[in-house]
Structures are given as C-alpha cells and as structure tokens.
Amino acid sequence: MITFFVSIALLIAGYIFYASFVEKVFGIDNNKQTPAYENPGDSDYAPLSWWKGSLIQLLNIAGLGPIFGALLGALYGPVAFIWIVIGCIFAGAVHDYFSGMLSLRHNGAQYPTLVGKYLGKPMQVGINIVSICLMILVAAAFIAGPAQLIAELSPLSFGAAIAIIFVYFFLASVLPVNRIIGKIYPILGGILIFMAVSIAGALVFSGQSIPNLTFSNLHPENLPLWPLLMVTISCGAISGFHSTQSPIIARTMKKESEGRKIFFGTMIAEGIIALIWAAAGMTFFGGTDGLGTALANGGPAGAVNDISISLLGGLGGILAILGVIILPITTGDTALRSSRMMLAELLSRFFHTKGKIALMLLTIPVVIPTIFLSLIDYTFLWRYVGWTNQLVATVMLWTACMYLLKSGKFHWICGIPAMFMTAVVCTYIFYAPEGLAMPYQPSMLIGGGLTLLVLAWYIKQIVVTRKRLAHEDKIARAS
C-alpha cells in the first residue's frame, strides 16, 4: 500500500514542481489576447472559466481510457505504477501542455496544423489522415459498448440506441462549444473524479492490501513489459488522442497562465485516476491471475462493474452504469468534433468552412464512416488504435521539441520523452500481432535501429539550429 500512496504523492509533486518548470520553459504571456476573444461569433470559440475548462478537458481526454487501460495494464503487476507515474509527469503532461499551449499560440490550430508548421508539410499530410482515422475509430469504439448496455437495460433495440447516440453526437459536434459541452461536461467530469475517489477510499478502508512495488513481470500470459505496457496504458500515462482534444479547450481559455492547470494539471488528475483503477484491479481480484480471469470472463466493463458494486454497493452500481454509458459517449462526441475541426482546417484552402451550413456539411463525412464501423465487427481495426494513438503522441512530442529548439529554448523536456516514445512505437509495430508479428528479439533490434536513425536526425537538427541561431545573433549584434 506504501507504493500506492507514494505514487500519488509523486504525481502531485510533479504538478507542483515540474509543471512550474515546464511553464517557465514555454514562457507564458497573459498580455496576449487568446483565441476565445479573437474569434467572436465562431461556435468553436467561447471564453470559459479555467475550472470548467479543466473538467471538460478531463472528460474529453479520459472517458474510460484511464479505467479500462489501467485494468489491462495492471496485469503486469505493480510495475505498472512506475509507468503511470513517470510516463504521466515527464511525457503525458508535457505532451498535453504543449499540444494545448501551441494551439493557443496559433489561434486554436488543430494538431496536424502544428505538425506541419514545425515538422514540415509532408508530415502534416500523413498525420492529418492518421488523426482523422484515429478520431473516427475512437468514436466508433465508444459507441457500440454503450449502445449494447442501453439495449440490455431498456426497451430500446441496439439499432435504436445507436441512432439516439448519433443524434446526440451530431448536435454536440455542430452546436457552439458553450451550449452542451460547456454546461454539461463539467458535471460529468466531476462524476468521473467522484467515482475514482470513492473507489480509492473504499479500497483503502476495505482491509485489503494493495500490492507494493516489485520489478517482476506478473502478467499471467508472460507477455513482455517492453513495449507492450507503454501501449496498453496510454490514457493515464501518455496518449496521442489528447493532442486532438486540447485545441477544443485552447479555444476557450481566457489567459495563458490557465494552461498549467487545464493541460498539465488535468493530465496529472488522469494519472491519479489510472493509478487508482490499476490498484483496484490488482487488489480486488487477489492478484494478476484473478484479474486476468475476470477480464477474460467479463472484459474491462465487467471488472469495473464487479469492483464498483462490491466496494460501493448500490451507489457503485449506479456509478458503473454511468461510467460505462456516459463516459465513452462524451469521449466519442468530442472525437467527432475534433475530426470535423481537422477536416475544416484541411479544406479551408479550397472551401468556405465557416457558418452553420459548413459545420453540418463537414460533420457528415466523419459521421457516416463512424456509423458504419459501429455496426460491423471492426475488432481487427480497433487493434490498430493503440499503436496509432502512441504514434500520434510521439509526433506531437517531436513537434513541441522542434518548437522549443527553433525558439532557442530547453528542448530536452520534449526531446527525451519523444525519443523514448519513438523507441516504443518503432519496436511495437514489428512485434505486436496487429503489426508484423515478428519474434521479440528481431523486433527489438529493428526498433532499436530505427530509433538510432531518429536520434541521428535529432542531433542534426540541434547542430543546424544552433548554427542558425548563432548566425542570427551575430547579425543582430552587428546591427
């Protein structure tokens, strides 16, 4: 149990100290007018208080991610705590902060636009396609489960539940951000926090002993920690999906100093939620073998239901139902909103993308494939989401790194986690069943080789940029 409390303390300390350092490196300026005030009348821009923005951001980036992913990651044992703490502070929170603050500095620009500015247009084209596909897959994945549960608990059929969810999705995607998202989501974000805190309290006072740290791999199927754990637990450590959501809130901020609370602080909160559910999974089922059996029989949703009802009684049952139905739906609708915003930026050079009619027309191309995927067995597609998600995170970290490097700032705070995640995605795609399914050792060698190539590129960028900055400084002094 000591490891659990120390982990929470480290996450809080990460916000207090490391967030302050990251903020200083970025260099905030509260005198700059934010996009929320620069774009009056635009449905995606509206000033919101920081606490509303934080709760909305938490709901957008979290959903069931830090619950389901943490339960699956808990199969590896208490070593999962290490990844959640280190990944959240030094990778995930930094990733979220820069994805939000760079969007803020570029008039609420979407993630692919930022990639194009700092990594080049060819990279922007590729990441635009990857990001929109990721959003559609996430939305589809977070529809089928809630629809099935609604059909089981009500007279509605599965198809009718799908239709109702999509009507809501369409409205949430096209209405001004302060209509539905700004009013309802802070409440739902509060429910997510209350659910996690309640589980943590019940777990601590249940008399069961939360496992302490061990570096052993306790996975029932003996799957390797590297790089599978880093893809299994994404929400709660680092997730590329967050970089697609941060621009939504960047367009509602009143001043730059709110970024530390909204982006960095919210990621730390998600890390604590993931930590709680990982601990619950390891403890409640009596170890990783028991957790593996529970996941095999009822899946993550069944495990959440068992834990919630057993620890919290009737209240837990209500919270479990709210979590399994509402949280994925609220993640799905903002995923579609993000994909619509990305599509608007992509097509803005060719078509007029402002106004209510344009909003509806831009929403249709992302809604139709989402409906199709939600009605078929798309398991083979969903398996690619984990790797795609971490690929998006890696590219965002490199984008932030190049911004800092070109600005003459301390780029290592993004460069080091970017290199780490590069090694993860380069190795995973060769080893994983949804990738090339190669043996482990060759996958490690190829992934390591590709990582070294990226490191060589990084070093070259450092050398070239330093020469450029020195030359510019020399010219400035001479003038």
Side-chain angles (χ1 to χ4, degrees), residues 97 101 253 255-265:
Y97 183 81
M101 295 305 291
M253 291 169 57
K255 54 185 178 179
E256 289 193 353
S257 59
E258 294 175 346
R260 178 181 174 185
K261 292 175 281 191
I262 293 175
F263 300 119
F264 203 108

Side-chain angles (χ1 to χ4, degrees), residues 373-428:
L373 288 172
S374 67
L375 294 175
I376 66 172
D377 182 11
Y378 59 92
T379 305
F380 70 101
L381 289 173
W382 173 245
R383 293 190 307 177
Y384 290 91
V385 172
W387 180 79
T388 305
N389 184 42
Q390 297 304 61
L391 174 64
V392 169
T394 304
V395 174
M396 182 62 236
L397 283 172
W398 280 122
T399 300
C401 181
M402 290 301 105
Y403 159 76
L404 293 173
L405 180 60
K406 293 175 181 179
S407 302
K409 298 181 179 180
F410 190 71
H411 54 90
W412 299 105
I413 59 172
C414 292
I416 292 175
M419 281 303 310
F420 179 87
M421 291 306 299
T422 298
V424 169
V425 296
C426 286
T427 305
Y428 183 89

Side-chain angles (χ1 to χ4, degrees), residues 39-46 173-179 251 337 340 355-356 359:
N39 300 271
D42 192 307
S43 64
D44 290 324
Y45 297 82
S173 297
V174 301
L175 286 175
V177 69
N178 59 348
R179 291 285 180 85
R251 298 182 178 195
R337 190 180 189 95
R340 186 260 297 165
K356 294 181 180 179
L359 288 180

Side-chain angles (χ1 to χ4, degrees), residues 220-350:
E221 299 178 21
N222 201 32
L223 295 178
L225 279 167
W226 173 269
L228 301 188
L229 178 61
M230 291 74 194
V231 176
T232 302
I233 301 181
S234 54
C235 289
I238 177 172
S239 168
F241 177 71
H242 298 187
S243 65
T244 67
Q245 301 302 293
S246 294
I248 295 176
I249 304 304
R251 298 182 178 195
T252 68
M253 291 169 57
K254 294 181 177 180
K255 54 185 178 179
E256 289 193 353
S257 59
E258 294 175 346
R260 178 181 174 185
K261 292 175 281 191
I262 293 175
F263 300 119
F264 203 108
T266 298
M267 184 61 215
I268 293 295
E270 188 186 55
I272 293 174
I273 292 172
L275 200 70
I276 290 169
W277 281 100
M282 295 177 208
T283 307
F284 181 79
F285 296 104
T288 57
D289 288 333
L291 174 59
T293 301
L295 291 172
N297 293 332
V304 169
N305 189 61
D306 291 343
I307 293 171
S308 300
I309 292 177
S310 298
L311 292 180
L312 301 176
L315 173 62
I318 295 172
L319 290 174
I321 292 174
L322 284 173
V324 175
I325 292 178
I326 295 178
L327 296 181
I329 289 176
T330 56
T331 299
D333 67 8
T334 52
L336 285 184
R337 190 180 189 95
S338 296
S339 61
R340 186 260 297 165
M341 291 162 67
M342 289 179 191
L343 193 61
E345 286 193 359
L346 183 64
L347 299 176
S348 60
R349 284 178 285 177
F350 310 102

Side-chain angles (χ1 to χ4, degrees), residues 16-84:
I16 295 172
F17 299 107
Y18 197 61
S20 177
F21 173 68
V22 170
E23 184 181 59
K24 289 178 181 178
V25 171
F26 179 78
I28 61 170
D29 184 357
N30 280 335
N31 292 320
K32 288 181 179 291
Q33 191 177 44
T34 62
Y37 297 106
E38 292 178 348
N39 300 271
D42 192 307
S43 64
D44 290 324
Y45 297 82
L48 295 177
S49 61
W50 72 264
W51 65 268
K52 277 190 177 182
S54 296
L55 289 173
I56 295 170
Q57 174 76 354
L58 177 63
L59 196 67
N60 288 355
I61 66 174
L64 288 177
I67 300 177
F68 282 12
L71 287 173
L72 293 170
L75 288 171
Y76 291 92
V79 69
F81 291 156
I82 299 176
W83 168 236
I84 291 173

Side-chain angles (χ1 to χ4, degrees), residues 112-176:
T113 300
L114 299 175
V115 171
K117 182 170 180 62
Y118 295 104
L119 294 180
K121 292 298 180 182
M123 181 67 78
Q124 179 181 0
V125 173
I127 212 66
N128 231 320
I129 296 171
V130 170
S131 299
I132 292 175
C133 289
L134 176 62
M135 295 303 95
I136 291 173
L137 285 169
V138 167
F142 285 161
I143 288 172
Q148 186 63 48
L149 188 56
I150 291 173
E152 292 175 2
L153 298 175
S154 72
L156 294 173
S157 66
F158 177 74
I162 288 281
I164 291 172
I165 293 173
F166 267 106
V167 169
Y168 166 76
F169 272 17
F170 189 83
L171 291 174
S173 297
V174 301
L175 286 175

